[in-house]
Amino acid sequence: MNDDTEPTVIIVPGLRDHVADHWQTLLADRLDRVRTVPPLDHDRLSLDARIAALDAVVGDVDGPIVLVAHSAGVLIAVHWAHTATRPVLGALLATPADIEEPLPEGYPTTADLDRGGWLPIPRRRLPFPSILAASSNDPLADRYRVAGLAEVWGSRFVDLGEVGHLNPASGFGDWPAADLFLQELLQRSGATTRETAPVPSES
C-alpha cells in the first residue's frame, strides 16, 4: 500500500487495453506516481469485470487519486464513480466511445456490449471535477452527443478539433495536452504531482 499524500494517477485504458505508443502509456512513463489498470485475461467485454479491475488498483493505493481515462475507459470510470466510495480529486476523460450507437467494423457490437452490462451510459453528475476532451471527427462518437455527456456529468468540455479517436491510428502517439489537463485538475484541487519531464506549454 501507498501512504504518501501526493496524488497517484490511475490510467484507465479502453477495450484495446495497452498499446506501447498510446498517449496514456507515454503519459504514464512521464509520471512518478502512476498505476495502470491491467488488461483482462477473460471476460474482456464484462463491464463488471472492468470495474472490479479498476477498483482493485484503486484499493491498492493510499492517498488521493486522479483518473485518466480514454475511450471505453471513460465509461468504466464513470460507472465505477457512481458506485465507489473512494474520493477522487478529478478525472481527465478523453474521447469517450458512444456505445449507444453502432461502432465501426472491428469493434464490439451494441448487442455484445449490452450483454456485457455496458448500456445505458450513465447520465448523472460525477462526484468529482472532470475535463471531457472530445474530437470533432471521432469515428466512435458524435461530438454533439459527447458534449451532452459532458453537460450531464458536470465536466468541463474541451473540443480538441479533428483528432480522430485520439489513438495511434489517428496519429497519436504522444498527446502533450494530457499533461496540461492533468495539471489543471491538480491545481483546482490544490494538489501537485511530480513528473519525470517538464509540463509542455500550449502551442
Side-chain angles (χ1 to χ4, degrees), residues 103-159:
L103 299 177
E105 185 176 352
Y107 288 88
T109 66
T110 303
D112 288 339
L113 291 166
D114 191 21
R115 283 191 292 270
W118 294 80
L119 299 175
I121 295 173
R123 285 176 168 79
R124 286 184 290 156
R125 189 176 185 87
L126 291 171
F128 44 75
S130 58
I131 297 171
L132 196 161
S135 169
S136 61
N137 66 338
D138 190 341
L140 272 65
D142 175 80
R143 176 200 176 281
Y144 295 100
R145 283 179 58 87
V146 174
L149 291 176
E151 183 175 0
V152 295
W153 292 344
S155 306
R156 182 170 89 80
F157 180 77
V158 178
D159 187 341

Side-chain angles (χ1 to χ4, degrees), residues 22-181:
H22 194 284
W23 65 266
Q24 284 181 304
T25 307
L26 299 173
L27 174 64
D29 289 343
R30 293 196 291 271
L31 298 172
D32 283 341
R33 299 186 66 83
V34 61
R35 296 287 303 275
T36 299
V37 179
L40 298 180
D41 295 326
H42 52 82
D43 295 332
R44 296 188 70 253
L45 282 185
S46 166
L47 176 62
D48 285 345
R50 295 279 181 171
I51 291 174
L54 169 57
D55 201 53
V57 171
V58 171
D60 197 41
V61 175
D62 284 340
I65 61 172
V66 178
L67 304 177
V68 174
H70 174 250
S71 190
V74 172
L75 307 180
I76 296 166
V78 169
H79 276 280
W80 174 85
H82 289 312
T83 59
T85 58
R86 178 67 176 269
V88 177
L89 292 182
L92 171 57
L93 311 172
T95 57
D98 183 3
I99 59 172
E100 293 178 344
E101 298 291 328
L103 299 177
E105 185 176 352
Y107 288 88
T109 66
T110 303
D112 288 339
L113 291 166
D114 191 21
R115 283 191 292 270
W118 294 80
L119 299 175
I121 295 173
R123 285 176 168 79
R124 286 184 290 156
R125 189 176 185 87
L126 291 171
F128 44 75
S130 58
I131 297 171
L132 196 161
S135 169
S136 61
N137 66 338
D138 190 341
L140 272 65
D142 175 80
R143 176 200 176 281
Y144 295 100
R145 283 179 58 87
V146 174
L149 291 176
E151 183 175 0
V152 295
W153 292 344
S155 306
R156 182 170 89 80
F157 180 77
V158 178
D159 187 341
L160 301 175
E162 296 184 353
V163 297
H165 192 52
L166 199 66
N167 58 2
S170 303
F172 300 83
D174 202 8
W175 182 39
D179 301 74
L180 297 171
F181 291 134

Side-chain angles (χ1 to χ4, degrees), residues 1 7 53 67 176-177 199:
M1 296 283 284
L67 304 177
V199 177

